[in-house]
Amino acid sequence: MTINEFNFAGKKAIVRVDFNVPLDENGKITDDTRIRGALPTLKKILADGGAVIIMSHKSLGQIREAVEKALGVPVAFAPDCAKAQDAAKALKMGEALLLENLRFYPEEEGKPVGVEKGTPEFDEAKKAMKASQKEFAKTLASYADCYVMDAFGTAHRKHASTAVIADYFDTDNKMLGLLMEKEVQAVDNVLSNIKRPFVAIMGGSKVSSKIGIIENLLGKVDKLILCGGMTYTFAKAHGGEIGDSIVEMDKLDVALGVEELAKKNGVELVLGSDCTATNGLDFDTMSVKPGAEIINCPANKVPAGFEGVDAGPESQKAFADAIAGAKTILWNGPAGVFECDTFTPGSRAIGDAIAKATAEGAFSLIGGGDSVACVNKFGLADKVSYISTGGGALLEAIEGKVLPGVAAIKGE
């Protein structure tokens, strides 16, 4: 069942959203992207003549007025998500109800509290917590006639509100929301419905945090660009000099293994040959210290006292050339410390090349907080195909893992 096929007239729908929006010191929302992302789903339910019960892992009382303004209907607030039976019962069609933060209850995440992991007591506590989690999910389910999962950012967690709750609705009364459908389709486009050439760009500081994703991609892509901090682990693996650049000395063999796997699979592996390095980046203020030097040098010949902070001119050209002509593109992770305006050129070169390829017909998926921040910083958000809202969920999907929040709806 999809949300567009379902008629919500006369029904109460409990919807899991991601309303974990940032607030300033006065409690005002500084970025309402996540609220706006959920509006198509919520408004569809209301337009059909249904009512919505909204749940998330945020203290929703403080954003009630903002949600009411966005939806254009009366929005009530239940101060205890596990004791909202009366509020749910009083809810009229065409109205909305916000539940208080789900994570105020440990049953939401299903993790034992106050017991040391690896002990017999932990195993017993875990078993008891799983039973409590089911009861908590059953309570949430009792408020509504149908369930909609629309929080991709938490779809990789088997929490009460993202997966367990689905057990209490039959197949025809549980479905993915419009935002979730878009996310799942976008992932499918880059992993299953591939148009070639397929180019993936993986950045960030550590090889270790991306190794599962890299290995899975090496079985799918035509070209893989590896950039950012992991550049120096690869350079060091070949005996290069990397100065003070970030490096994982215990992952040098992993880097060499990635190169071997790429070769075995016939994948063109593109690594930065040069870099921009400095001896004076202030990470607290994301600025270059007065009097500091900035140089371009080979990525495997970074002078002592300097650290690589961005892809150099040669690398930028190599990255852009590799992206040109691609038909499917995935970008996760920047090419350097883009938060400092001085070191944006590497990430900018990637963003511009992706925008150009997209204009020429490529499907481009941007995922992960830093890549999304890059795209927004460079004003390229409307020049790529899709920007994912789910960091961890997207990475696990790319790694080939089953997402509990999706599996629970599909009955897998």
Side-chain angles (χ1 to χ4, degrees), residues 126-395:
K126 191 176 179 183
K127 198 184 293 181
M129 176 55 82
K130 287 297 174 191
S132 296
Q133 187 184 45
K134 286 182 179 179
E135 283 305 310
F136 180 64
K138 189 177 180 181
T139 297
L140 294 174
S142 71
Y143 304 153
D145 305 300
C146 49
Y147 167 64
V148 181
M149 172 57 176
D150 210 25
F152 186 70
T154 56
H156 59 311
R157 304 287 183 229
K158 193 172 182 178
H159 290 171
S161 69
T162 62
V164 184
I165 188 174
D167 292 342
Y168 299 97
F169 294 92
D170 62 39
T171 308
D172 291 337
N173 287 294
K174 56 185 175 184
M175 65 216 80
L176 299 178
L178 295 171
L179 184 60
M180 277 287 291
E181 282 184 359
K182 276 188 189 175
E183 294 276 3
V184 171
Q185 183 59 53
V187 170
D188 194 52
N189 281 348
V190 298
L191 292 184
S192 304
N193 184 28
I194 302 168
K195 290 183 175 63
R196 298 192 179 278
F198 178 13
V199 179
I201 305 105
M202 302 300 293
S205 59
K206 295 181 176 181
V207 182
S208 57
S209 63
K210 303 277 175 82
I211 187 59
I213 300 155
I214 290 169
E215 287 176 346
N216 193 43
L217 286 173
L218 284 172
K220 298 178 182 293
V221 299
D222 299 293
K223 298 177 186 178
L224 177 61
I225 296 170
L226 296 179
C227 56
M230 67 176 84
T231 301
Y232 310 102
T233 297
F234 280 85
K236 192 68 178 176
H238 288 282
E241 295 300 324
I242 59 168
D244 293 342
S245 305
I246 189 169
V247 64
E248 289 181 286
M249 292 301 292
D250 61 336
K251 293 293 183 288
L252 303 185
D253 58 331
V254 173
L256 294 174
V258 166
E259 293 182 3
E260 279 300 311
L261 186 57
K263 194 175 179 182
K264 181 183 170 187
N265 290 359
V267 174
E268 183 184 335
L269 191 62
V270 184
L271 287 157
S273 58
D274 67 341
C275 68
T276 299
T278 184
N279 58 0
L281 175 59
D282 186 332
F283 279 92
D284 291 330
T285 60
M286 281 300 169
S287 62
V288 181
K289 296 172 184 174
E293 292 179 73
I294 299 172
I295 61 170
N296 287 319
C297 61
N300 59 357
K301 290 182 181 176
V302 181
F306 282 75
E307 62 180 322
V309 289
D310 194 17
E314 287 178 17
S315 299
Q316 292 168 33
K317 185 178 184 309
F319 297 164
D321 288 348
I323 294 165
K327 291 302 173 195
T328 301
I329 304 168
L330 169 68
W331 184 20
N332 176 266
V337 189
F338 75 98
E339 296 92 341
C340 176
D341 291 344
T342 309
F343 306 122
T344 57
S347 300
R348 178 85 206 210
I350 291 171
D352 285 344
I354 292 173
K356 187 170 186 289
T358 306
E360 292 169 358
F363 176 84
S364 52
L365 170 59
I366 315 299
D370 285 342
S371 297
V372 174
C374 277
V375 166
N376 289 331
K377 181 170 185 169
F378 304 146
L380 299 172
D382 61 346
K383 295 179 180 177
V384 298
S385 305
Y386 194 77
I387 297 175
S388 176
T389 60
L394 177 68
L395 294 183

